[in-house]
Amino acid sequence: MTDQDPHTEHTRKDDKHKASMQKQKAKVDARIAEAKTERGIALLLTGNGKGKSSSAFGMVMRALGYGQRVGVVQFIKGAQLSGEELYLRDHCPQVHFYQMGTGFTWNTQDRSGDISAAEQTWAEAEALLKNPDVALVVLDELTYMIAYQYLDEQRILQAIQNRPSAQSVVVTGRGGGSALQDIMDTVSDVKDVKHAFRAGIKARQGVDY
């Protein structure tokens, strides 16, 4: 019994790989051909894992790359300056950036004050969701406003559903309820497998905030 010729084995693997990729390309091309609807999408980034806001800001950079107008409204965050806020305020004047500014609710411990701040912040978000010139709206940590009942859920759902047809919206935060998920086009659940903070490692500037 002789060993198989290395050149023949290499060619066989190449042919097998090519056939597999051709089949995969045919499936992808078919799905692309089936997608005929041209409109903005509603995307929910939820789950217990890290990276939801980071993903949303990645889409902000994409939109800016195409010269699109962007609106960003951050709920919960704001007591400490974030890297994304510093960059967008200094380098991207075309981005409408608004933060609730109260910080985390477990720090404020002031329900009435948080509700008042949430309503003021939602007014900024609602205006963006009515503006057809804004291509992308990011509502960062909005889900907590629903979970804590700081804002009326139906008002939020209606504003997202009634936005301009070409506008896309990204909502981030844990939970948010089934009603919010039901109206979104895409829902991604970011899972928590391992986190440095639980090992006693401090949050890192430029990575965590």
Side-chain angles (χ1 to χ4, degrees):
M1 181 176 180
T2 58
D3 293 334
Q4 188 170 19
D5 178 40
H7 178 73
T8 302
E9 176 65 10
H10 183 75
T11 301
R12 185 188 67 80
K13 288 182 177 180
D14 282 351
D15 290 343
K16 184 177 179 180
H17 175 76
K18 183 176 181 179
S20 176
M21 292 301 102
Q22 286 176 337
K23 186 181 295 185
Q24 183 174 330
K25 183 179 184 303
K27 290 181 180 179
V28 172
D29 289 346
R31 289 174 182 170
I32 292 174
E34 290 171 0
K36 301 182 184 299
T37 303
E38 183 71 42
R39 66 168 176 82
I41 67 165
L43 171 62
L44 173 62
L45 300 171
T46 188
N48 295 329
K50 170 181 166 52
K52 298 180 288 293
S53 296
S54 300
S55 177
F57 279 99
M59 282 178 264
V60 168
M61 296 304 294
R62 281 181 177 171
L64 292 176
Y66 289 108
Q68 297 175 353
R69 286 186 59 186
V70 178
V72 177
V73 179
Q74 288 190 310
F75 298 84
I76 301 293
K77 297 173 181 175
Q80 174 179 295
L81 290 177
S82 63
E84 54 262 31
E85 177 189 8
L86 291 170
Y87 183 84
L88 291 177
R89 290 194 188 282
D90 289 346
H91 301 285
C92 304
Q94 68 272 44
V95 177
H96 179 93
F97 194 102
Y98 187 89
Q99 285 183 325
M100 195 160 82
T102 57
F104 297 104
T105 56
W106 50 88
N107 288 328
T108 63
Q109 301 174 20
D110 178 6
R111 179 175 172 79
S112 296
D114 286 343
I115 289 175
S116 178
E119 290 175 344
Q120 181 178 342
T121 305
W122 177 248
E124 296 282 336
E126 208 164 31
L128 290 169
L129 291 169
K130 293 178 180 178
N131 189 342
D133 294 329
V134 178
L136 175 67
V137 177
V138 173
L139 304 176
D140 191 32
E141 312 288 10
L142 175 63
T143 59
Y144 293 100
M145 302 299 100
I146 298 174
Y148 297 150
Q149 298 183 339
Y150 285 0
L151 295 172
D152 180 72
E153 181 182 43
Q154 285 304 312
R155 183 179 176 188
I156 291 173
L157 300 181
Q158 289 174 7
I160 292 174
Q161 289 179 300
N162 296 331
R163 72 190 190 282
S165 62
Q167 184 185 85
S168 293
V169 60
V170 181
V171 176
T172 75
R174 299 184 184 191
S178 60
L180 179 63
Q181 291 194 19
D182 287 345
I183 70 165
M184 308 305 275
D185 298 301
T186 301
V187 178
S188 293
D189 187 354
V190 182
K191 294 184 177 180
D192 180 16
V193 177
K194 187 177 183 180
H195 201 296
F197 186 72
R198 289 198 296 277
I201 301 173
K202 294 178 66 174
R204 190 72 174 167
Q205 191 179 68
V207 176
D208 295 297
Y209 64 93

